[in-house]
Short mmCIF file of all heavy atoms in Angstrom, two decimals:
data_model
loop_
_atom_site.label_atom_id
_atom_site.label_comp_id
_atom_site.label_asym_id
_atom_site.label_seq_id
_atom_site.Cartn_x
_atom_site.Cartn_y
_atom_site.Cartn_z
N MET A 287 -25.42 -16.07 15.35
CA MET A 287 -24.80 -14.80 15.63
C MET A 287 -23.41 -14.77 15.02
O MET A 287 -22.67 -15.74 15.12
CB MET A 287 -24.72 -14.56 17.13
CG MET A 287 -26.09 -14.44 17.78
SD MET A 287 -26.08 -13.83 19.46
CE MET A 287 -25.01 -14.92 20.30
N LEU A 288 -23.07 -13.65 14.43
CA LEU A 288 -21.78 -13.50 13.79
C LEU A 288 -20.89 -12.57 14.59
O LEU A 288 -21.35 -11.56 15.11
CB LEU A 288 -21.96 -12.92 12.38
CG LEU A 288 -22.77 -13.77 11.41
CD1 LEU A 288 -23.00 -13.02 10.13
CD2 LEU A 288 -22.04 -15.07 11.14
N ASP A 289 -19.61 -12.91 14.67
CA ASP A 289 -18.63 -12.07 15.34
C ASP A 289 -17.87 -11.28 14.28
O ASP A 289 -17.08 -11.84 13.52
CB ASP A 289 -17.69 -12.93 16.17
CG ASP A 289 -16.74 -12.10 17.02
OD1 ASP A 289 -16.96 -10.88 17.14
OD2 ASP A 289 -15.80 -12.68 17.57
N TRP A 290 -18.11 -9.98 14.20
CA TRP A 290 -17.50 -9.13 13.19
C TRP A 290 -16.18 -8.51 13.63
O TRP A 290 -15.52 -7.81 12.85
CB TRP A 290 -18.47 -8.02 12.80
CG TRP A 290 -19.53 -8.51 11.88
CD1 TRP A 290 -20.76 -8.97 12.21
CD2 TRP A 290 -19.43 -8.63 10.46
NE1 TRP A 290 -21.45 -9.35 11.09
CE2 TRP A 290 -20.65 -9.15 10.00
CE3 TRP A 290 -18.44 -8.34 9.53
CZ2 TRP A 290 -20.89 -9.38 8.65
CZ3 TRP A 290 -18.68 -8.56 8.20
CH2 TRP A 290 -19.90 -9.09 7.77
N ALA A 291 -15.75 -8.70 14.86
CA ALA A 291 -14.53 -8.08 15.36
C ALA A 291 -13.29 -8.47 14.55
O ALA A 291 -12.51 -7.58 14.18
CB ALA A 291 -14.33 -8.40 16.83
N PRO A 292 -13.06 -9.75 14.23
CA PRO A 292 -11.87 -10.07 13.44
C PRO A 292 -11.86 -9.41 12.06
O PRO A 292 -10.82 -8.97 11.58
CB PRO A 292 -11.91 -11.59 13.32
CG PRO A 292 -12.73 -12.05 14.45
CD PRO A 292 -13.73 -10.97 14.69
N VAL A 293 -13.03 -9.31 11.45
CA VAL A 293 -13.11 -8.70 10.12
C VAL A 293 -12.81 -7.21 10.19
O VAL A 293 -11.99 -6.68 9.43
CB VAL A 293 -14.51 -8.94 9.51
CG1 VAL A 293 -14.65 -8.21 8.19
CG2 VAL A 293 -14.77 -10.42 9.34
N LEU A 294 -13.46 -6.51 11.11
CA LEU A 294 -13.28 -5.06 11.20
C LEU A 294 -11.90 -4.67 11.70
O LEU A 294 -11.29 -3.73 11.18
CB LEU A 294 -14.36 -4.46 12.09
CG LEU A 294 -15.79 -4.56 11.54
CD1 LEU A 294 -16.78 -4.02 12.55
CD2 LEU A 294 -15.91 -3.83 10.23
N ILE A 295 -11.39 -5.37 12.68
CA ILE A 295 -10.05 -5.07 13.19
C ILE A 295 -9.00 -5.40 12.15
O ILE A 295 -8.04 -4.65 11.97
CB ILE A 295 -9.80 -5.81 14.51
CG1 ILE A 295 -10.68 -5.20 15.60
CG2 ILE A 295 -8.34 -5.75 14.91
CD1 ILE A 295 -10.64 -5.92 16.91
N GLY A 296 -9.16 -6.51 11.44
CA GLY A 296 -8.22 -6.85 10.37
C GLY A 296 -8.22 -5.81 9.26
O GLY A 296 -7.16 -5.42 8.76
N TRP A 297 -9.41 -5.33 8.88
CA TRP A 297 -9.51 -4.30 7.84
C TRP A 297 -8.85 -3.01 8.30
O TRP A 297 -8.08 -2.40 7.55
CB TRP A 297 -10.98 -4.07 7.52
CG TRP A 297 -11.22 -2.97 6.56
CD1 TRP A 297 -11.06 -3.00 5.21
CD2 TRP A 297 -11.65 -1.65 6.87
NE1 TRP A 297 -11.38 -1.78 4.68
CE2 TRP A 297 -11.74 -0.93 5.67
CE3 TRP A 297 -11.99 -1.01 8.06
CZ2 TRP A 297 -12.13 0.40 5.63
CZ3 TRP A 297 -12.37 0.31 8.01
CH2 TRP A 297 -12.44 1.00 6.81
N LEU A 298 -9.11 -2.59 9.53
CA LEU A 298 -8.54 -1.36 10.04
C LEU A 298 -7.02 -1.44 10.15
O LEU A 298 -6.31 -0.52 9.74
CB LEU A 298 -9.15 -1.03 11.41
CG LEU A 298 -8.67 0.25 12.07
CD1 LEU A 298 -9.12 1.45 11.26
CD2 LEU A 298 -9.19 0.33 13.48
N LEU A 299 -6.51 -2.54 10.68
CA LEU A 299 -5.06 -2.70 10.78
C LEU A 299 -4.40 -2.80 9.42
O LEU A 299 -3.29 -2.30 9.23
CB LEU A 299 -4.73 -3.94 11.62
CG LEU A 299 -4.99 -3.84 13.11
CD1 LEU A 299 -4.71 -5.17 13.77
CD2 LEU A 299 -4.16 -2.74 13.73
N PHE A 300 -5.07 -3.44 8.45
CA PHE A 300 -4.52 -3.53 7.11
C PHE A 300 -4.34 -2.13 6.51
O PHE A 300 -3.31 -1.83 5.90
CB PHE A 300 -5.42 -4.38 6.21
CG PHE A 300 -4.94 -4.47 4.80
CD1 PHE A 300 -3.90 -5.32 4.46
CD2 PHE A 300 -5.51 -3.69 3.80
CE1 PHE A 300 -3.45 -5.41 3.16
CE2 PHE A 300 -5.07 -3.77 2.49
CZ PHE A 300 -4.04 -4.63 2.18
N ILE A 301 -5.33 -1.27 6.68
CA ILE A 301 -5.25 0.08 6.16
C ILE A 301 -4.17 0.88 6.89
O ILE A 301 -3.33 1.54 6.26
CB ILE A 301 -6.61 0.81 6.28
CG1 ILE A 301 -7.67 0.09 5.45
CG2 ILE A 301 -6.50 2.27 5.88
CD1 ILE A 301 -7.40 0.02 3.97
N LEU A 302 -4.16 0.82 8.21
CA LEU A 302 -3.21 1.61 8.98
C LEU A 302 -1.77 1.13 8.86
O LEU A 302 -0.84 1.94 8.93
CB LEU A 302 -3.62 1.63 10.46
CG LEU A 302 -4.91 2.37 10.79
CD1 LEU A 302 -5.22 2.23 12.27
CD2 LEU A 302 -4.81 3.82 10.38
N LEU A 303 -1.58 -0.18 8.70
CA LEU A 303 -0.22 -0.73 8.66
C LEU A 303 0.28 -1.02 7.25
O LEU A 303 1.27 -1.73 7.10
CB LEU A 303 -0.15 -1.99 9.52
CG LEU A 303 -0.29 -1.77 11.02
CD1 LEU A 303 -0.32 -3.10 11.75
CD2 LEU A 303 0.84 -0.90 11.54
N SER A 304 -0.37 -0.50 6.24
CA SER A 304 0.14 -0.67 4.88
C SER A 304 1.47 0.07 4.77
O SER A 304 1.54 1.27 5.05
CB SER A 304 -0.84 -0.11 3.85
OG SER A 304 -2.01 -0.87 3.84
N PRO A 305 2.55 -0.62 4.40
CA PRO A 305 3.86 0.03 4.35
C PRO A 305 3.86 1.23 3.40
O PRO A 305 3.45 1.13 2.26
CB PRO A 305 4.80 -1.06 3.84
CG PRO A 305 4.10 -2.33 4.11
CD PRO A 305 2.64 -2.03 4.03
N GLY A 306 4.31 2.36 3.92
CA GLY A 306 4.43 3.56 3.12
C GLY A 306 3.24 4.49 3.20
O GLY A 306 3.33 5.64 2.79
N LEU A 307 2.10 4.02 3.69
CA LEU A 307 0.92 4.89 3.76
C LEU A 307 1.08 5.91 4.88
O LEU A 307 1.16 7.11 4.60
CB LEU A 307 -0.34 4.06 3.97
CG LEU A 307 -1.65 4.84 3.96
CD1 LEU A 307 -1.86 5.50 2.60
CD2 LEU A 307 -2.81 3.93 4.27
N LEU A 308 1.12 5.48 6.11
CA LEU A 308 1.36 6.39 7.23
C LEU A 308 2.83 6.43 7.60
O LEU A 308 3.40 7.49 7.81
CB LEU A 308 0.54 5.96 8.45
CG LEU A 308 -0.97 6.01 8.30
CD1 LEU A 308 -1.63 5.50 9.57
CD2 LEU A 308 -1.43 7.41 7.99
N PHE A 309 3.44 5.26 7.69
CA PHE A 309 4.86 5.17 8.00
C PHE A 309 5.42 3.91 7.37
O PHE A 309 4.69 3.01 6.96
CB PHE A 309 5.09 5.16 9.52
CG PHE A 309 4.61 3.92 10.21
CD1 PHE A 309 5.48 2.90 10.49
CD2 PHE A 309 3.28 3.78 10.58
CE1 PHE A 309 5.05 1.75 11.13
CE2 PHE A 309 2.83 2.64 11.22
CZ PHE A 309 3.72 1.63 11.50
N GLN A 310 6.74 3.86 7.28
CA GLN A 310 7.42 2.68 6.75
C GLN A 310 8.58 2.36 7.66
O GLN A 310 9.42 3.21 7.95
CB GLN A 310 7.92 2.95 5.34
CG GLN A 310 8.63 1.78 4.73
CD GLN A 310 9.06 2.06 3.31
OE1 GLN A 310 8.52 2.92 2.66
NE2 GLN A 310 10.05 1.34 2.86
N LEU A 311 8.62 1.14 8.14
CA LEU A 311 9.64 0.70 9.08
C LEU A 311 10.26 -0.57 8.56
O LEU A 311 9.55 -1.58 8.48
CB LEU A 311 8.97 0.46 10.44
CG LEU A 311 9.82 -0.02 11.59
CD1 LEU A 311 10.67 1.13 12.08
CD2 LEU A 311 8.96 -0.54 12.70
N PRO A 312 11.48 -0.70 8.14
CA PRO A 312 12.49 0.33 7.93
C PRO A 312 12.29 1.03 6.59
O PRO A 312 11.79 0.45 5.64
CB PRO A 312 13.79 -0.47 7.92
CG PRO A 312 13.40 -1.81 7.41
CD PRO A 312 11.99 -2.03 7.90
N GLY A 313 12.73 2.28 6.53
CA GLY A 313 12.59 3.06 5.30
C GLY A 313 13.75 2.81 4.35
O GLY A 313 14.64 2.00 4.61
N HIS A 314 13.74 3.51 3.23
CA HIS A 314 14.83 3.37 2.26
C HIS A 314 16.09 4.06 2.73
O HIS A 314 17.19 3.52 2.60
CB HIS A 314 14.41 3.96 0.90
CG HIS A 314 13.39 3.14 0.19
ND1 HIS A 314 13.68 1.92 -0.38
CD2 HIS A 314 12.07 3.34 -0.04
CE1 HIS A 314 12.60 1.42 -0.93
NE2 HIS A 314 11.59 2.27 -0.73
N THR A 315 15.96 5.26 3.27
CA THR A 315 17.14 6.03 3.67
C THR A 315 17.24 6.24 5.17
O THR A 315 18.32 6.52 5.67
CB THR A 315 17.13 7.42 2.99
OG1 THR A 315 15.91 8.10 3.34
CG2 THR A 315 17.20 7.27 1.48
N ARG A 316 16.13 6.12 5.89
CA ARG A 316 16.10 6.30 7.34
C ARG A 316 15.43 5.10 7.99
O ARG A 316 14.73 4.35 7.31
CB ARG A 316 15.34 7.57 7.70
CG ARG A 316 16.04 8.84 7.22
CD ARG A 316 15.22 10.04 7.57
NE ARG A 316 14.09 10.07 6.63
CZ ARG A 316 13.18 11.01 6.58
NH1 ARG A 316 13.22 12.00 7.43
NH2 ARG A 316 12.22 10.98 5.70
N PRO A 317 15.62 4.93 9.30
CA PRO A 317 14.96 3.80 9.96
C PRO A 317 13.44 3.86 9.88
O PRO A 317 12.79 2.83 9.75
CB PRO A 317 15.43 3.90 11.41
CG PRO A 317 16.71 4.66 11.35
CD PRO A 317 16.57 5.60 10.20
N VAL A 318 12.87 5.05 9.98
CA VAL A 318 11.41 5.22 9.88
C VAL A 318 11.15 6.38 8.93
O VAL A 318 11.69 7.47 9.11
CB VAL A 318 10.76 5.51 11.25
CG1 VAL A 318 9.27 5.73 11.09
CG2 VAL A 318 11.04 4.40 12.23
N GLU A 319 10.32 6.15 7.92
CA GLU A 319 9.90 7.20 7.00
C GLU A 319 8.40 7.37 7.12
O GLU A 319 7.66 6.40 7.25
CB GLU A 319 10.27 6.85 5.56
CG GLU A 319 11.75 6.83 5.29
CD GLU A 319 12.09 6.52 3.85
OE1 GLU A 319 11.16 6.26 3.06
OE2 GLU A 319 13.27 6.52 3.53
N PHE A 320 7.94 8.61 7.04
CA PHE A 320 6.52 8.91 7.17
C PHE A 320 5.97 9.39 5.84
O PHE A 320 6.51 10.32 5.23
CB PHE A 320 6.29 9.96 8.25
CG PHE A 320 6.65 9.48 9.63
CD1 PHE A 320 7.89 9.76 10.17
CD2 PHE A 320 5.75 8.74 10.35
CE1 PHE A 320 8.22 9.30 11.44
CE2 PHE A 320 6.07 8.28 11.62
CZ PHE A 320 7.30 8.56 12.16
N GLY A 321 4.87 8.76 5.38
CA GLY A 321 4.17 9.19 4.18
C GLY A 321 4.98 9.13 2.91
O GLY A 321 4.83 9.98 2.04
N SER A 322 5.80 8.11 2.74
CA SER A 322 6.66 8.03 1.56
C SER A 322 5.95 7.42 0.35
O SER A 322 6.37 7.62 -0.78
CB SER A 322 7.90 7.20 1.87
OG SER A 322 7.54 5.87 2.15
N PHE A 323 4.87 6.65 0.58
CA PHE A 323 4.11 5.96 -0.48
C PHE A 323 4.98 5.02 -1.31
O PHE A 323 4.66 4.74 -2.46
CB PHE A 323 3.37 6.95 -1.38
CG PHE A 323 2.29 7.71 -0.68
CD1 PHE A 323 2.46 9.04 -0.36
CD2 PHE A 323 1.12 7.07 -0.30
CE1 PHE A 323 1.47 9.73 0.31
CE2 PHE A 323 0.12 7.76 0.36
CZ PHE A 323 0.30 9.10 0.66
N THR A 324 6.07 4.55 -0.74
CA THR A 324 6.91 3.53 -1.37
C THR A 324 7.12 2.42 -0.36
O THR A 324 6.84 2.58 0.83
CB THR A 324 8.28 4.10 -1.80
OG1 THR A 324 8.96 4.59 -0.64
CG2 THR A 324 8.12 5.22 -2.82
N THR A 325 7.63 1.29 -0.83
CA THR A 325 7.86 0.18 0.09
C THR A 325 9.02 -0.68 -0.41
O THR A 325 9.54 -0.48 -1.51
CB THR A 325 6.58 -0.68 0.24
OG1 THR A 325 6.79 -1.60 1.30
CG2 THR A 325 6.24 -1.40 -1.03
N ASN A 326 9.44 -1.61 0.43
CA ASN A 326 10.47 -2.58 0.05
C ASN A 326 10.15 -3.89 0.76
O ASN A 326 9.22 -3.97 1.57
CB ASN A 326 11.88 -2.06 0.39
CG ASN A 326 12.05 -1.72 1.85
OD1 ASN A 326 11.42 -2.30 2.72
ND2 ASN A 326 12.91 -0.75 2.13
N GLY A 327 10.89 -4.91 0.48
CA GLY A 327 10.62 -6.24 1.03
C GLY A 327 10.77 -6.31 2.54
O GLY A 327 9.98 -6.97 3.22
N LYS A 328 11.78 -5.63 3.08
CA LYS A 328 11.97 -5.63 4.53
C LYS A 328 10.80 -4.96 5.25
O LYS A 328 10.34 -5.44 6.28
CB LYS A 328 13.28 -4.94 4.90
CG LYS A 328 14.51 -5.74 4.54
CD LYS A 328 15.76 -5.07 5.09
CE LYS A 328 16.27 -4.10 4.06
NZ LYS A 328 17.56 -3.50 4.41
N ALA A 329 10.32 -3.85 4.70
CA ALA A 329 9.20 -3.14 5.31
C ALA A 329 7.93 -3.99 5.27
O ALA A 329 7.16 -3.99 6.24
CB ALA A 329 8.97 -1.80 4.61
N ILE A 330 7.71 -4.69 4.18
CA ILE A 330 6.53 -5.57 4.09
C ILE A 330 6.60 -6.65 5.16
O ILE A 330 5.61 -6.93 5.84
CB ILE A 330 6.42 -6.18 2.69
CG1 ILE A 330 6.11 -5.09 1.66
CG2 ILE A 330 5.37 -7.27 2.65
CD1 ILE A 330 6.20 -5.56 0.23
N PHE A 331 7.76 -7.25 5.36
CA PHE A 331 7.93 -8.28 6.37
C PHE A 331 7.71 -7.73 7.77
O PHE A 331 6.98 -8.33 8.58
CB PHE A 331 9.33 -8.90 6.26
CG PHE A 331 9.59 -9.97 7.28
CD1 PHE A 331 9.00 -11.21 7.14
CD2 PHE A 331 10.41 -9.74 8.37
CE1 PHE A 331 9.21 -12.21 8.09
CE2 PHE A 331 10.63 -10.72 9.31
CZ PHE A 331 10.04 -11.96 9.16
N VAL A 332 8.29 -6.58 8.09
CA VAL A 332 8.14 -5.97 9.42
C VAL A 332 6.69 -5.60 9.69
O VAL A 332 6.15 -5.88 10.76
CB VAL A 332 9.07 -4.75 9.57
CG1 VAL A 332 8.75 -3.96 10.83
CG2 VAL A 332 10.52 -5.19 9.57
N HIS A 333 6.02 -5.00 8.71
CA HIS A 333 4.63 -4.61 8.88
C HIS A 333 3.71 -5.84 9.01
O HIS A 333 2.71 -5.78 9.72
CB HIS A 333 4.16 -3.71 7.73
CG HIS A 333 4.66 -2.30 7.86
ND1 HIS A 333 3.85 -1.27 8.24
CD2 HIS A 333 5.89 -1.75 7.68
CE1 HIS A 333 4.54 -0.15 8.27
NE2 HIS A 333 5.79 -0.42 7.93
N THR A 334 4.06 -6.93 8.35
CA THR A 334 3.28 -8.17 8.49
C THR A 334 3.39 -8.72 9.90
O THR A 334 2.39 -9.14 10.50
CB THR A 334 3.77 -9.22 7.47
OG1 THR A 334 3.63 -8.68 6.16
CG2 THR A 334 2.98 -10.50 7.58
N ILE A 335 4.59 -8.73 10.45
CA ILE A 335 4.80 -9.21 11.83
C ILE A 335 4.05 -8.32 12.82
O ILE A 335 3.40 -8.82 13.74
CB ILE A 335 6.31 -9.26 12.16
CG1 ILE A 335 7.03 -10.23 11.23
CG2 ILE A 335 6.53 -9.63 13.62
CD1 ILE A 335 6.52 -11.65 11.28
N ILE A 336 4.11 -7.00 12.62
CA ILE A 336 3.39 -6.08 13.50
C ILE A 336 1.88 -6.32 13.40
O ILE A 336 1.17 -6.36 14.40
CB ILE A 336 3.73 -4.61 13.16
CG1 ILE A 336 5.19 -4.32 13.49
CG2 ILE A 336 2.82 -3.65 13.90
CD1 ILE A 336 5.69 -2.99 12.98
N PHE A 337 1.37 -6.49 12.16
CA PHE A 337 -0.06 -6.73 11.95
C PHE A 337 -0.53 -7.96 12.71
O PHE A 337 -1.49 -7.91 13.46
CB PHE A 337 -0.34 -6.90 10.45
CG PHE A 337 -1.75 -7.32 10.15
CD1 PHE A 337 -2.74 -6.38 9.98
CD2 PHE A 337 -2.08 -8.66 10.02
CE1 PHE A 337 -4.05 -6.75 9.71
CE2 PHE A 337 -3.38 -9.05 9.75
CZ PHE A 337 -4.38 -8.09 9.59
N PHE A 338 0.14 -9.09 12.51
CA PHE A 338 -0.30 -10.32 13.15
C PHE A 338 -0.12 -10.28 14.67
O PHE A 338 -0.93 -10.85 15.40
CB PHE A 338 0.41 -11.54 12.56
CG PHE A 338 -0.16 -11.93 11.23
CD1 PHE A 338 0.59 -11.80 10.09
CD2 PHE A 338 -1.45 -12.40 11.13
CE1 PHE A 338 0.07 -12.14 8.85
CE2 PHE A 338 -1.99 -12.74 9.90
CZ PHE A 338 -1.22 -12.62 8.76
N GLY A 339 0.89 -9.58 15.16
CA GLY A 339 1.06 -9.42 16.60
C GLY A 339 -0.06 -8.62 17.23
O GLY A 339 -0.68 -9.05 18.21
N VAL A 340 -0.37 -7.46 16.66
CA VAL A 340 -1.44 -6.61 17.20
C VAL A 340 -2.80 -7.29 17.04
O VAL A 340 -3.63 -7.27 17.94
CB VAL A 340 -1.42 -5.22 16.53
CG1 VAL A 340 -2.62 -4.39 16.92
CG2 VAL A 340 -0.13 -4.49 16.87
N PHE A 341 -3.03 -7.92 15.88
CA PHE A 341 -4.29 -8.61 15.62
C PHE A 341 -4.51 -9.73 16.64
O PHE A 341 -5.60 -9.87 17.20
CB PHE A 341 -4.30 -9.16 14.20
CG PHE A 341 -5.59 -9.82 13.80
CD1 PHE A 341 -6.66 -9.04 13.38
CD2 PHE A 341 -5.73 -11.19 13.83
CE1 PHE A 341 -7.85 -9.64 13.00
CE2 PHE A 341 -6.92 -11.79 13.47
CZ PHE A 341 -7.99 -11.00 13.05
N THR A 342 -3.49 -10.52 16.89
CA THR A 342 -3.59 -11.63 17.84
C THR A 342 -3.85 -11.12 19.26
O THR A 342 -4.68 -11.68 19.98
CB THR A 342 -2.31 -12.48 17.81
OG1 THR A 342 -2.10 -12.94 16.49
CG2 THR A 342 -2.39 -13.65 18.76
N ILE A 343 -3.17 -10.07 19.64
CA ILE A 343 -3.38 -9.51 20.98
C ILE A 343 -4.80 -9.01 21.13
O ILE A 343 -5.47 -9.28 22.13
CB ILE A 343 -2.35 -8.40 21.27
CG1 ILE A 343 -0.96 -9.02 21.45
CG2 ILE A 343 -2.75 -7.59 22.50
CD1 ILE A 343 0.16 -8.01 21.51
N LEU A 344 -5.30 -8.27 20.14
CA LEU A 344 -6.64 -7.71 20.25
C LEU A 344 -7.74 -8.77 20.22
O LEU A 344 -8.71 -8.69 20.96
CB LEU A 344 -6.89 -6.68 19.14
CG LEU A 344 -6.12 -5.37 19.27
CD1 LEU A 344 -6.36 -4.51 18.04
CD2 LEU A 344 -6.52 -4.64 20.53
N ILE A 345 -7.60 -9.76 19.36
CA ILE A 345 -8.66 -10.76 19.22
C ILE A 345 -8.59 -11.84 20.31
O ILE A 345 -9.60 -12.16 20.93
CB ILE A 345 -8.61 -11.41 17.82
CG1 ILE A 345 -8.84 -10.35 16.75
CG2 ILE A 345 -9.62 -12.53 17.70
CD1 ILE A 345 -10.17 -9.63 16.85
N LEU A 346 -7.42 -12.38 20.56
CA LEU A 346 -7.31 -13.50 21.51
C LEU A 346 -7.09 -13.06 22.95
O LEU A 346 -7.78 -13.53 23.86
CB LEU A 346 -6.20 -14.44 21.08
CG LEU A 346 -6.41 -15.14 19.74
CD1 LEU A 346 -5.22 -16.03 19.41
CD2 LEU A 346 -7.68 -15.95 19.75
N ALA A 347 -6.14 -12.16 23.19
CA ALA A 347 -5.79 -11.80 24.56
C ALA A 347 -6.82 -10.85 25.17
O ALA A 347 -7.27 -11.04 26.29
CB ALA A 347 -4.40 -11.19 24.61
N VAL A 348 -7.18 -9.80 24.44
CA VAL A 348 -8.14 -8.83 24.95
C VAL A 348 -9.56 -9.36 24.81
O VAL A 348 -10.41 -9.09 25.65
CB VAL A 348 -7.96 -7.47 24.24
CG1 VAL A 348 -8.99 -6.46 24.69
CG2 VAL A 348 -6.56 -6.92 24.47
N GLY A 349 -9.82 -10.09 23.75
CA GLY A 349 -11.14 -10.70 23.56
C GLY A 349 -12.19 -9.73 23.06
O GLY A 349 -13.31 -9.73 23.57
N ILE A 350 -11.87 -8.95 22.07
CA ILE A 350 -12.83 -8.00 21.51
C ILE A 350 -13.84 -8.76 20.66
O ILE A 350 -13.47 -9.59 19.83
CB ILE A 350 -12.11 -6.93 20.67
CG1 ILE A 350 -11.19 -6.11 21.55
CG2 ILE A 350 -13.11 -6.04 19.95
CD1 ILE A 350 -10.36 -5.10 20.80
N HIS A 351 -15.12 -8.49 20.86
CA HIS A 351 -16.19 -9.12 20.10
C HIS A 351 -17.21 -8.06 19.65
O HIS A 351 -17.59 -7.20 20.44
CB HIS A 351 -16.93 -10.18 20.92
CG HIS A 351 -16.06 -11.32 21.31
ND1 HIS A 351 -15.68 -12.30 20.43
CD2 HIS A 351 -15.49 -11.63 22.49
CE1 HIS A 351 -14.92 -13.17 21.05
NE2 HIS A 351 -14.77 -12.78 22.32
N ILE A 352 -17.63 -8.14 18.42
CA ILE A 352 -18.73 -7.33 17.89
C ILE A 352 -19.74 -8.33 17.34
O ILE A 352 -19.53 -8.89 16.27
CB ILE A 352 -18.24 -6.36 16.80
CG1 ILE A 352 -17.16 -5.44 17.33
CG2 ILE A 352 -19.42 -5.54 16.27
CD1 ILE A 352 -16.48 -4.61 16.25
N VAL A 353 -20.80 -8.54 18.07
CA VAL A 353 -21.75 -9.61 17.74
C VAL A 353 -22.99 -9.01 17.11
O VAL A 353 -23.55 -8.02 17.58
CB VAL A 353 -22.13 -10.40 19.00
CG1 VAL A 353 -23.11 -11.51 18.66
CG2 VAL A 353 -20.89 -10.97 19.66
N THR A 354 -23.42 -9.62 16.00
CA THR A 354 -24.69 -9.25 15.36
C THR A 354 -25.62 -10.44 15.47
O THR A 354 -25.20 -11.59 15.57
CB THR A 354 -24.48 -8.87 13.89
OG1 THR A 354 -23.97 -10.00 13.19
CG2 THR A 354 -23.54 -7.70 13.76
N GLY A 355 -26.85 -10.20 15.39
CA GLY A 355 -27.72 -11.34 15.44
C GLY A 355 -29.12 -10.96 15.63
O GLY A 355 -30.07 -11.53 15.77
#
C-alpha cells in the first residue's frame, strides 16, 4: 500500500506557496505583495520555511494519509 498524502500535499503547497504567484512575503516595496509574479532571495527563504512548517504539521502532527492499494 502506498501513502500518497506527502506527495499530494507537497505538490499543492509548492503551487500555493510559490513566491510571487499568490503572494510574496516580504515583497520588493511592501511587506506583503499579491500577484506580483516576481521574487527575491528573502521571499524564497521565507516561503521555504513556511512550506516545511505547514508540511510537517500536516503530515506528522495531524497524520493525514491517502492510502492506495
Side-chain angles (χ1 to χ4, degrees):
M287 295 192 305
L288 298 173
D289 186 12
W290 282 94
V293 175
L294 294 176
I295 290 174
W297 175 77
L298 181 66
L299 288 176
F300 178 78
I301 298 299
L302 293 177
L303 291 175
S304 294
L307 184 62
L308 296 178
F309 68 97
Q310 180 178 338
L311 179 74
H314 289 288
T315 57
R316 294 179 285 183
V318 178
E319 292 181 357
F320 294 96
S322 65
F323 294 107
T324 60
T325 189
N326 58 30
K328 288 187 270 186
I330 293 171
F331 180 74
V332 169
H333 283 254
T334 302
I335 298 301
I336 293 170
F337 173 88
F338 283 113
V340 172
F341 184 81
T342 303
I343 289 170
L344 289 175
I345 298 300
L346 296 179
V348 177
I350 297 176
H351 297 285
I352 302 171
V353 180
T354 62

